[in-house]
Amino acid sequence: MGSAEEDYNFVFKVVLIGESGVGKTNLLSRFTRNEFNHDSRTTIGVEFSTRTILVGDAVVKAQIWDTAGLERYRAITSAYYRGAVGALVVFDITKHQTYDVVDRWLKELYDHAEASIVVMLVGNKTDLAQAREVPMEEAKMFADNNGLLFVETSALDSTNVEQAFETILKEIFHKVQKQKQRNSQSNTVSLANESPESTAPAQTEKRPCCVAL
Amino acid sequence: GYLPANVDRRESTLKRKRKEYFAFVEQYYDSRNDENHQDTYRQIHIDIPRMSPEVLRLQPKVTEIFERILFIWAIRHPASGYVQGINDLVTPFFVVFICEYIEEEEVENFDVSSLPEEVLQNIEADSYWCMSKLLDGIQDNYTFAQPGIQKKVKMLEELISRIDEQVHRHLDQHEVKYLQFAFRWMNNLLMREVPLRCTIRLWDTYQSEPEGFSHFHLYVCAAFLVRWRKEILEEKDFQELLIFLQNLPTVHWGNEEISVLLAEAYRLKFAFADAPNHYKK
């Protein structure tokens, strides 16, 4: 928990999705608190954590929503996609079934989120490489074909966790910067032309909270 | 919970129910690896090590018992099936029954497999029926899209707007939605918000209260939220508010805090339950 008066330039809302048990909660706790829990409890509904990082000169607050991976909750979790500017779609490299359904998660994501959302495919649990069922090349190719970022991580031994979040946050940041430039060049405020909730996702400047959930 | 009021009939009912449960086990448990049931079983299997709280849950014997209880329940209740959170709801019953055989303080380090098989079987069957009875009263919490929970969270919001308008407005102003924190309060009956000893104490009251788990729980949640009004009003930021509400500092709670909470819940129920327009704007 940081202090309430932290100063930051951007708030980016990022959601973690994927099958139950792939390690979403531990990726989050590794990134925000540098903790790993061998028997962390099942996530109920959504849980929430934040961390502030530096991207270039800008202070970016990542507001990360961890959702339950079980089907039954989806009616509730879908509301939480709104305003998200980034998504980590997580699977377990040792369980092919969790990779097979990535498609379904992507579909759900694009049904509810902004088209401009930055998506990263994350193969978690590389510490269990001897039990690997999903070849890295296969997942990488899938990501390339679908325009997703890709990384393999281990929340347990910390491999690539930091990089995964940093990469997606940077990518979002650059997207926002580009959008801003485009807006100022064309001299029309395109953000204002469209409905405010649908364009400006959670990327307001210098405002503590921006998400219209 | 499920025993008849008549003392003389209790022993025979218990016997009959225990027999019935193990007949279910015999009938259904082998089907856990069948195609149409394996998803359920797999989910239960990965959730048991992730239950709340830590007590006991990692012992193989306990895992086995919980898996059977949850699987049988899911198969016999196809309308809802197994939903995450239900796994937590077995624990309080199980621990209470275990505590008949050991000292309460020992629970954490107790090796369950040291109990005689027959005792364990009785505990398993009794836990199953108690959990079933509990869930019968709140089934719509766990059917598709969880309408019971949606409804109760709305009711909580409505209630708070009348009980403590300032808190309600504060949450609203900072765009905190009740669903974001109270979903879990309903789905897991506050088990994730307070220590196990408090859950057991709380449920004790729920069981003696008509519609305790389905209705009175709402007033307990209201009292619980308002209990943190000072802290809530001090937080002036969406993120800090949500982090606070999802991680309430109750680790040290015991009977005393729960008693105060229950008293307040009774007061609220008395003042608001039958007066839907009381303080309404």
Side-chain angles (χ1 to χ4, degrees), chain B residues 51-57 62 65-66 69-70 85-100 102 104 107 123-124 126-132 134-135 138 142 187-207 213:
Chain B
M51 279 186 322
S52 172
E54 292 67 25
V55 184
L56 298 163
R57 68 181 177 190
V62 178
I65 290 172
F66 274 56
I69 292 177
L70 290 165
I86 291 180
N87 52 336
D88 281 358
L89 306 183
V90 186
T91 317
F93 296 117
F94 187 80
V95 169
V96 166
F97 289 132
I98 288 277
C99 284
E100 280 190 33
I102 56 168
E104 210 176 317
V107 167
I123 289 175
E124 178 176 339
D126 296 351
S127 300
Y128 172 83
W129 288 113
C130 284
M131 182 197 79
S132 294
L134 189 170
L135 286 167
I138 52 170
Y142 305 106
N187 193 70
N188 292 43
L189 295 168
L190 288 178
M191 270 192 76
R192 288 286 182 93
E193 322 309 318
V194 296
L196 181 65
R197 56 180 182 277
C198 295
T199 300
I200 290 174
R201 169 68 191 85
L202 189 64
W203 288 19
D204 200 35
T205 299
Y206 285 4
Q207 301 210 62
F213 291 96

Side-chain angles (χ1 to χ4, degrees), chain A residues 20-183:
Chain A
S20 182
V22 297
K24 298 182 290 296
T25 302
N26 271 319
L27 280 172
L28 177 61
S29 65
R30 176 62 78 196
F31 177 62
T32 56
R33 299 189 300 276
N34 200 17
E35 283 171 14
F36 180 91
N37 195 341
H38 266 284
D39 33 56
S40 77
R41 298 178 293 177
T42 53
T43 305
I44 303 296
V46 292
E47 287 166 24
F48 176 89
S49 201
T50 66
R51 188 178 143 189
T52 304
I53 68 160
L54 216 59
V55 179
D57 302 331
V59 184
V60 168
K61 185 155 195 164
Q63 187 185 88
I64 304 159
W65 294 81
D66 179 17
T67 56
L70 186 63
E71 189 103 23
R72 191 59 54 94
Y73 291 116
R74 292 202 201 163
I76 284 175
T77 48
S78 67
Y80 293 90
Y81 289 120
R82 203 179 313 152
V85 289
L88 300 183
V89 183
V90 187
F91 69 93
D92 174 351
I93 63 154
T94 71
K95 293 207 171 63
H96 211 282
Q97 178 266 341
T98 65
Y99 174 71
D100 295 337
V101 293
V102 162
D103 250 339
R104 225 172 59 207
W105 284 104
L106 285 173
K107 185 180 178 309
E108 181 179 281
L109 178 65
Y110 291 125
D111 280 351
H112 294 98
E114 309 304 321
S116 60
I117 190 166
V118 179
V119 184
M120 177 181 257
L121 183 64
V122 180
N124 191 34
K125 307 199 186 180
T126 53
D127 51 283
L128 301 173
Q130 72 285 0
R132 179 190 283 276
E133 286 183 7
V134 183
M136 179 155 97
E137 301 71 36
E138 188 187 336
K140 173 88 176 75
M141 195 151 47
F142 177 86
D144 287 345
N145 292 339
N146 289 276
L148 316 175
L149 301 166
F150 174 72
V151 70
E152 284 195 341
T153 58
S154 163
L156 186 137
D157 64 24
S158 306
T159 308
N160 280 343
V161 175
E162 196 79 15
Q163 290 89 320
F165 283 97
E166 268 174 23
T167 306
I168 193 166
L169 291 169
K170 269 185 195 147
E171 183 70 23
I172 296 167
F173 179 76
H174 290 135
K175 232 176 169 165
V176 172
Q177 293 301 98
K178 256 192 244 159
Q179 204 178 355
K180 264 171 66 182
Q181 276 173 3
R182 230 181 298 132
N183 290 343

Side-chain angles (χ1 to χ4, degrees), chain B residues 14 34 53 61 73 75 90-91 97-98 110 122 133 138 140 146 154 161 195 200 205 210 226 232 236 240 259 279:
Chain B
L14 261 184
D34 291 1
K61 194 81 204 168
W73 189 88
I75 295 302
V90 186
T91 317
F97 289 132
I98 288 277
F110 183 66
N122 290 345
K133 169 94 173 149
I138 52 170
D140 65 346
Q146 307 193 268
K154 281 215 177 70
S161 74
I200 290 174
T205 299
V226 173
I232 291 170
K236 305 254 186 268
E240 299 303 323
S259 301
Y279 286 135

